[in-house]
Amino acid sequence: MSDSSVLRTIDAIWRIESAKLIAGLARMVRDVGLAEDLAQDALVIALERWPATGIPDNPGAWLMTTAKRRAIDLLRRNKLRDQKYEEFGRGSDLYTENDMDLTMDGEVGDDLLRLIFTTCHPVLSQEARVALTLRLLGGLTTDEIAHAFLVAESTIAQRIVRAKRTLSAKRVDFEVPVGEELQDRLSTVLEVIYLMFNEGYSATSGGSWIRPLLCQEALRLGRILAEIAPAEPEVHGLVALMEIQSSRFKTRVNASGEPILLMDQNRALWDQLLIRRGLAALERARRLGRPLGPYALQAAISACHAQARLASETDWARIAALYEALSRVMPSPIVELNRAVAIAMAFGPAFGLQIVDELASEPSLKDYHLLPSVRGDFLVKLDRIDEARGEFERAASLTRNVRERELLLKRAAECSNQ
Amino acid sequence: MRFMMIVKGTKDSEAGTMPSQELLEAMLRYNEELAKAGVLLAADGLHASSQGIRISYPEPGGKPKVMDGPFTEAKEIIAGYTLIEVKSREEAIEWAMRMPDPHGYGEGQIELRQIIDATDLTQNPDTLAMEASIREQIERRKT
């Protein structure tokens, strides 16, 4: 193997092993930042040695053994509290290959779960949670994270350093929360993953509409979580939602980068493998027998679209019912607005208009351009063209997106011509 | 990027001999490992080629010829596949190296092939335009 191909192989091994490595070390040293440093040290040693010695048969075990030796050295040097040292020494028979196989089953999963609950801890800001999770669980470099978020590498590096310091200063336990706390903390974890996914799926800024790396990472984290926390229906719900949304990844934009609406997308290009995986994940959520949560319900809505071979075959009545269920578990005017659209598609624009009119007094939607835009759409269908024009103009004045404004003004002009 | 790990057939797989319990368990563990790493998309084993059908086009522009299995040359036959999603070619190789030897007896062979990204095929404006018009026709016929 040439040197550069060894380096690329080490990079791949790091991608596969780093999260398990950091998670295992963090359980021993009870400090995520220190665990990452130790893992990095092991990586540096591997980078020095492997090009000469070749890659060991079990590189994961090799890295773990090396990192543990560093940990022991470090603990001795620092003369940490006797008790902690003793405790650590007891569990530290250096890893053999058997150990590594042994821990592949239950224990590694538990460590990874502890790690994700720590990197998504509520003491951290949302931004810090995302960056730290990508770094420690995704094994991404700060440079890759910075690229994905279109910010300077130093910004991400600082964010990560500060996050690790906060975890250490606040003495955050490296544990999976239990009892009532579990559900709250789990929603924080799911929120971080979904935020990551959305950031990639519909970039809020910057030139490219889609930033695939973030979507892929979010999906991978979701899939991992589904394996290590299989009893949580919302985990499967989120995975289902991301799988199905990803199936439309390639049809979301046209050749010039403009977004294509769901109803106008080429369904033949939807990724059937991901749709099937999404439906299977949704089924796993359902089979757990608890009422569906917000992610699973959104996935079920997404699944309705995925299962309609033609846009005209969409089961809008079912979608309307699912939005109603969603508005019960996650009441929100935006969900209501979506329900209004589904109702209008299923039963006629007059019924949709009724719901939208009830939303008109909702303060949080006062400046939301989609409310007048949707209302305008219903009015056109009801042949109330003059009123519709007013709504499109109002919607155009509220949106900050240039393309969207052009589209809305065009619709307003069409009303004038009739 | 997606890769397909293709397990090639052997005399045993073609004879329909089931793999040993030990190998089955090792494969199961391996698939679990792939799933836990979030890289597994799909994995399946295939029946022997004696149950397969081959469709060929011996004459250019002519009718297809249907032929029942079995087919000769075990090494050219696929016994199973695993589909993974990874970040690099090296990661795919690393995972493939961790797959248990699928057959033993010196016959095991795994081939790694990258899946072509659908966008590579669909970025051509002519193809896109043609597709759009076909779709329009289908929708119109429907309504």
Side-chain angles (χ1 to χ4, degrees):
Chain A
M1 244 196 263
S2 74
D3 274 11
S4 69
S5 88
V6 173
L7 294 185
R8 284 200 305 272
T9 301
I10 294 176
D11 195 51
I13 290 169
W14 180 251
R15 163 116 177 134
I16 295 171
E17 303 293 344
S18 66
K20 285 184 276 181
L21 203 56
I22 293 166
L25 290 164
R27 173 166 43 82
M28 291 185 262
V29 299
R30 301 275 147 188
D31 182 324
V32 166
L34 178 58
E36 197 206 0
D37 291 344
L38 291 166
Q40 288 281 350
D41 286 351
L43 176 66
V44 170
I45 297 172
L47 285 165
E48 282 166 11
R49 292 203 192 148
W50 291 358
T53 63
I55 289 163
D57 285 344
N58 190 337
W62 191 99
L63 287 167
M64 186 54 116
T65 307
T66 309
K68 278 176 92 173
R69 282 205 191 106
R70 302 282 299 183
I72 293 166
D73 287 349
L74 194 81
L75 289 173
R76 276 194 193 126
R77 258 205 315 277
N78 290 356
K79 287 187 184 134
L80 284 185
R81 281 178 303 131
D82 288 354
Q83 191 207 340
K84 191 167 182 180
Y85 176 65
E86 216 174 277
E87 193 182 300
F88 176 62
R90 228 183 296 131
S92 72
D93 305 325
L94 293 179
Y95 265 44
T96 63
E97 291 182 13
N98 281 346
D99 274 337
M100 208 56 193
D101 288 342
L102 203 76
T103 49
M104 256 326 290
D105 297 336
E107 221 173 291
V108 170
D110 292 348
D111 285 345
L112 284 177
L113 207 51
R114 288 188 186 104
L115 185 60
I116 198 165
F117 273 110
T118 308
T119 59
C120 297
H121 199 279
V123 298
L124 302 173
S125 72
Q126 192 73 269
E127 281 178 335
R129 288 176 208 159
V130 173
L132 199 60
T133 304
L134 282 171
R135 166 89 180 182
L136 297 189
L137 280 128
L140 299 195
T141 63
T142 40
D143 186 43
E144 284 171 323
I145 302 171
H147 262 99
F149 283 98
L150 308 167
V151 296
E153 193 187 340
S154 58
T155 310
I156 294 292
Q158 257 176 24
R159 205 173 279 170
I160 289 170
V161 168
R162 248 185 269 130
K164 285 194 279 195
R165 239 183 255 150
T166 307
L167 289 176
S168 187
K170 305 252 175 180
R171 298 180 182 281
V172 165
D173 278 341
F174 188 69
E175 283 305 340
V176 173
V178 288
E180 278 174 28
E181 204 196 343
L182 176 66
Q183 288 309 317
D184 278 354
R185 293 280 306 280
L186 184 65
S187 2
T188 315
V189 170
L190 298 181
E191 200 180 296
V192 168
I193 296 177
Y194 197 42
L195 193 90
M196 208 180 273
F197 183 82
N198 274 324
E199 186 70 28
Y201 202 64
S202 54
T204 46
S205 56
S208 81
W209 175 268
I210 286 169
R211 282 175 273 167
L213 183 63
L214 283 177
C215 288
Q216 270 166 30
E217 272 316 299
L219 197 45
R220 189 166 77 105
L221 285 172
R223 288 170 183 159
I224 294 173
L225 201 57
E227 294 304 314
I228 58 182
E232 294 299 334
E234 276 293 83
V235 172
H236 300 298
L238 175 60
V239 171
L241 181 59
M242 294 192 295
E243 300 268 16
I244 297 174
Q245 287 187 344
S246 296
S247 74
R248 302 169 196 148
F249 206 80
K250 311 229 158 88
T251 52
R252 283 206 83 211
V253 290
N254 65 17
S256 48
E258 287 156 350
I260 304 174
L261 297 175
L262 185 61
M263 290 296 116
D264 300 330
Q265 289 177 18
N266 181 356
R267 291 173 186 235
L269 293 179
W270 285 355
D271 188 327
Q272 294 301 322
L273 176 64
L274 294 182
I275 290 176
R276 222 170 57 221
R277 291 184 56 89
L279 295 176
L282 189 56
E283 187 51 35
R284 273 179 97 178
R286 284 208 178 100
R287 237 181 290 142
L288 288 167
R290 284 186 259 162
L292 296 188
Y295 289 114
L297 284 167
Q298 289 175 80
I301 292 167
S302 220
C304 282
H305 291 297
Q307 285 170 305
R309 280 168 307 161
L310 300 168
S312 54
E313 284 178 4
T314 310
D315 187 351
W316 286 106
R318 179 166 166 73
I319 292 177
L322 287 166
Y323 269 120
E324 197 181 328
L326 182 61
S327 75
R328 260 179 270 131
V329 293
M330 192 182 75
S332 133
I334 309 263
V335 173
E336 273 303 286
L337 189 58
N338 277 302
R339 186 169 77 88
V341 174
I343 291 270
M345 294 298 282
F347 308 109
F351 294 97
L353 189 64
Q354 213 174 333
I355 302 173
V356 167
D357 284 344
E358 282 162 25
L359 285 173
S361 56
E362 181 61 48
S364 64
L365 292 185
K366 195 163 68 78
D367 295 324
Y368 188 54
H369 68 279
L370 283 182
L371 182 62
S373 159
V374 165
R375 191 162 190 274
D377 197 48
F378 293 163
L379 288 168
V380 168
K381 286 176 181 151
L382 291 168
D383 243 356
R384 290 158 63 177
I385 305 296
D386 277 350
E387 288 166 86
R389 188 183 54 232
E391 293 291 345
F392 288 134
E393 282 167 354
R394 203 174 113 68
S397 73
L398 289 173
T399 181
R400 268 169 294 178
N401 183 307
V402 181
R403 274 187 196 140
E404 216 161 9
R405 184 180 309 138
E406 280 167 9
L407 192 77
L408 287 162
L409 288 175
K410 205 174 114 201
R411 295 204 69 180
E414 280 163 9
C415 291
S416 305
N417 293 338
Q418 286 195 3
Chain B
M1 50 173 83
R2 289 181 185 175
F3 278 85
M4 184 178 271
M5 298 194 266
I6 301 163
V7 171
K8 293 299 187 68
T10 62
K11 281 183 229 88
D12 270 358
S13 75
E14 277 298 280
T17 313
M18 282 294 282
S20 69
Q21 192 61 27
E22 198 188 340
L23 179 60
L24 280 177
E25 276 167 21
M27 276 294 180
L28 207 66
R29 261 205 310 279
Y30 175 69
N31 282 347
E32 232 173 76
E33 198 185 333
L34 290 175
K36 280 187 176 157
V39 297
L40 178 67
L41 291 178
D44 287 298
L46 308 180
H47 284 294
S49 80
S50 56
Q51 299 183 47
I53 302 108
R54 201 171 261 179
I55 289 112
S56 56
Y57 293 85
E59 307 289 332
K63 279 190 177 168
K65 205 177 123 203
V66 180
M67 212 172 82
D68 283 327
F71 310 118
T72 45
E73 201 51 57
K75 276 277 187 299
E76 283 174 15
I77 284 163
I78 294 169
Y81 70 92
T82 303
L83 214 56
I84 54 172
E85 176 124 57
V86 292
K87 224 175 98 192
S88 66
R89 181 188 147 82
E90 283 73 19
E91 194 187 337
I93 298 172
E94 190 57 33
W95 280 118
M97 304 261 286
R98 294 178 186 204
M99 186 189 267
D101 174 353
H103 296 296
Y105 310 111
E107 286 197 283
Q109 198 181 89
I110 302 163
E111 191 170 304
L112 260 180
R113 304 284 294 270
Q114 189 180 346
I115 309 268
I116 296 175
D117 196 323
T119 43
D120 300 343
L121 296 173
T122 53
Q123 284 310 308
N124 179 340
D126 295 340
T127 323
L128 286 174
M130 197 176 73
E131 241 168 35
S133 89
I134 292 172
R135 211 151 25 98
E136 209 175 287
Q137 283 171 23
I138 295 171
E139 286 278 343
R140 219 180 296 140
R141 234 173 279 159
K142 262 275 160 193
T143 46

